[in-house]
Amino acid sequence: MRLGAYPCKLIEGTRAANAYGKTLISERHRHRYEFNNSYRERLEKAGLKISGICTERDLVEIVEITEHNWYVGGQFHGELKSRPVKPHPLFDGFISASVKFMRDRAKEA
């Protein structure tokens, strides 16, 4: 079981790096699941952007689909760092992207 905080290096220019405002983060885990690196190259060729990696163990932590308004998935528990007046950076990014999407749709109508 992967338990506790692990460092994660974010790729500059990704949505995750922009949401955090930095490229080195630490997030908490409590799970038995990992990204299967055997499929890494194939998934990247199909459009999945790997935007965060635990370099100590070469584990994928965050993925994105750049053609989507906000498709960001994390391998950790962001809710453990989220507070009512200070949401987790990825939660905040999701809400911001949702608001932007709705405003853009309203302008089109």
Side-chain angles (χ1 to χ4, degrees):
M1 174 174 267
R2 194 157 172 224
L3 186 61
Y6 288 85
C8 177
K9 181 166 175 32
L10 303 177
I11 308 304
E12 286 189 42
T14 60
R15 287 192 176 105
N18 292 337
Y20 281 95
K22 54 187 173 181
T23 57
L24 188 59
I25 62 168
S26 177
E27 288 289 354
R28 293 169 55 189
H29 295 258
R30 183 181 176 80
H31 58 83
R32 299 181 195 280
Y33 308 104
E34 295 301 342
F35 184 94
N36 188 338
N37 280 329
S38 300
Y39 295 97
R40 192 168 172 171
E41 187 177 325
R42 179 188 275 181
L43 289 167
E44 286 180 300
K45 284 181 182 176
L48 191 69
K49 172 78 173 171
I50 294 172
S51 57
I53 299 170
C54 176
T55 55
E56 290 178 354
R57 300 170 68 184
D58 193 33
L59 296 173
V60 174
E61 298 276 20
I62 305 174
V63 297
E64 305 178 8
I65 295 179
T66 54
E67 289 78 31
H68 192 274
N69 293 327
W70 183 268
Y71 188 105
V72 179
Q75 186 70 6
F76 45 82
H77 289 274
E79 71 275 10
L80 297 175
K81 286 189 169 181
S82 203
R83 300 292 178 259
V85 295
K86 188 178 181 211
H88 186 277
L90 295 184
F91 298 166
D92 193 38
F94 171 68
I95 297 299
S96 296
S98 298
V99 169
K100 181 184 179 316
F101 178 78
M102 292 305 294
R103 286 183 178 154
D104 291 348
R105 282 190 71 190
K107 287 178 187 175
E108 292 173 6

